[in-house]
Structures are given as C-alpha cells and as structure tokens.
Amino acid sequence: MNLNNDIKKILVTEEQIKARCKELAEEINKDYADKKPILLSLLRGSIPFVAELSKYITIPIQFDYMKASSYHGGTTSSGNVAVTILPSYKLEGRHVIVVEDIVDTGFTLSTVMKILAESKPASLEIATLLDKPAMRKVTDLSIKYIGFSIEPEFVVGYGLDYDELYRQLPYVGVLKEEIYKK
Ligand code: PRP
C-alpha cells in the first residue's frame, strides 16, 4: 500500500512549497523585526507548514498550539467548529500569527480569531499555506500571509487529511475520486 498511488495529480510540489515558505518567512522577518511573535499553529493540519516556514524565520519567535476542528472526517466543512485545545502562553500584549494549512469556508478561523481577540493580543494575523477563496462563507476574515490560492478542489497532503490520512505527503495533491466515493 502506497498512499502516493491514491493521488490523481500534484497541485503544489514540495519545491514550490519550500520556495514560497522562504518568501513568506522573509516578509515575517521584516514585519516582525524586534516583536518576538508567537506562531500559533492550529492542530493538526498546520504542523508540516509551520515546520517548513519557521526554518527560514530568523527573528526570535515562540511556538504555541491550539486545536480547532470542523471537517469531522468528511470532504466538506461543517461550519460546526470545536475548539478543544487552547494556547498555553498568555497572549495579552503579544504579537500573534495564527498558522493554518487551509482556509476554506473560513468558519474555523473566524471562530478562532474571535476567541483569540478576547485575550487582547498586540496584533493578530493569519498565515495559511492554502486559500480557497471561492469557498469562503464568512466575510470578516483578513489573511496577511497566503502560500497559494487554489481552486475549490478537495486536496490532501502537507498536513491536509482525508479521514485523518495523507497528512504526511510532502506535496499538496488531489485525491482520486474513487477514494472518497467508496
Ligand atoms: C481543516 C483545516 C482548517 C479548516 C478549514 O481542519 O485544517 O482548520 O478545516 O476549513 P474552514 O475554513 O471551512 O473552516 P479540520 O477540521 O479538518 O482539522 P485538522 O486540522 O485536524 O485536519
């Protein structure tokens, strides 16, 4: 069994992701010089992205984590967002960059941003590897750092799952339809 065989096409290669992470990190280095931001990653999907992005960030940063879920194993967002792990650090007065793998309807981040705003951070921005603007259902989301804008196709890899699998693939790919229509 090889998960790569379930992929119909590769949408974003490992090399493209690496190059884009370097560019985004350069922007963060400039925008947050002397600010020691917290990279607040949303579990589980953002881990490969934050790992790659942070390699090229040269200013002091801290890592924190939060867990929010909306897909519940399917291929479409439910809009029903459950926040089950909250950040460990005190965020008041801190510069926070929320790191996501994908923004789809925006329900997840919209919920997360409202919760985080209550902690009164000095600034609160979003970095996402992927954006699917055609799928957006919320209007109150402003995303500062976007890796790639993609068409509304269901994608896996680089942290993104189908039924909790495929997250370890080193690229973003489109799953063969027979896999999720079984
Ligand atoms: C996925 C993804 C985003 C969210 C995006 O998370 O990681 O957090 O859905 O969808 P939305 O913009 O429509 O809300 P999921 O709930 O699958 O949890 P995961 O990170 O554990 O995969």
Side-chain angles (χ1 to χ4, degrees):
M1 159 127 215
N2 182 335
L3 292 181
N4 292 285
N5 296 334
D6 294 349
I7 302 301
K8 186 166 71 176
K9 66 173 175 187
I10 295 179
L11 208 59
V12 192
T13 66
E14 190 171 7
E15 292 70 29
Q16 287 171 316
I17 294 171
K18 187 173 182 175
R20 187 70 185 121
C21 282
K22 285 181 182 171
E23 290 173 354
L24 293 177
E26 278 306 311
E27 285 183 45
I28 290 170
N29 288 334
K30 284 194 197 104
D31 296 347
Y32 291 87
D34 305 320
K35 287 186 173 161
K36 200 169 73 178
I38 295 174
L39 294 194
L40 179 54
S41 310
L42 294 197
L43 298 171
R44 303 182 172 89
S46 64
I47 295 302
F49 176 46
V50 78
E52 186 64 20
L53 176 69
S54 61
K55 281 183 200 167
Y56 313 107
I57 297 178
T58 51
I59 58 165
I61 52 170
Q62 289 175 310
F63 283 2
D64 205 351
Y65 305 91
M66 190 171 173
K67 184 163 181 1
S69 295
S70 69
Y71 273 20
H72 304 300
T75 59
T76 54
S77 188
S78 64
N80 186 3
V81 180
V83 175
T84 51
I85 299 175
L86 287 165
S88 307
Y89 288 127
K90 193 168 174 280
L91 303 182
E92 187 175 350
R94 299 296 306 273
H95 295 277
V96 177
I97 305 172
V98 179
V99 182
E100 251 298 21
D101 53 353
I102 189 164
V103 184
D104 198 326
T105 63
F107 285 135
T108 303
L109 270 182
S110 181
T111 304
V112 163
M113 296 300 267
K114 282 188 191 95
I115 291 169
L116 294 176
E118 288 170 13
S119 300
K120 301 198 178 352
S123 68
L124 185 56
E125 301 289 354
I126 297 166
T128 185
L129 174 64
L130 302 173
D131 184 22
K132 268 190 200 170
M135 297 296 284
R136 197 76 87 252
K137 288 190 180 149
V138 300
T139 53
D140 59 349
L141 217 52
S142 145
I143 308 176
K144 189 161 187 183
Y145 306 102
I146 296 176
F148 303 89
S149 280
I150 62 169
E151 297 300 313
E153 270 178 307
F154 184 70
V155 290
V156 296
Y158 223 87
L160 293 140
D161 73 301
Y162 169 64
D163 218 4
E164 293 301 329
L165 298 176
Y166 303 97
R167 293 188 198 270
Q168 82 269 36
L169 296 180
Y171 52 79
V172 175
V174 180
L175 208 52
K176 288 176 182 166
E177 281 168 22
E178 61 259 35
I179 304 297
Y180 57 88
K181 287 187 176 160
K182 263 180 197 163

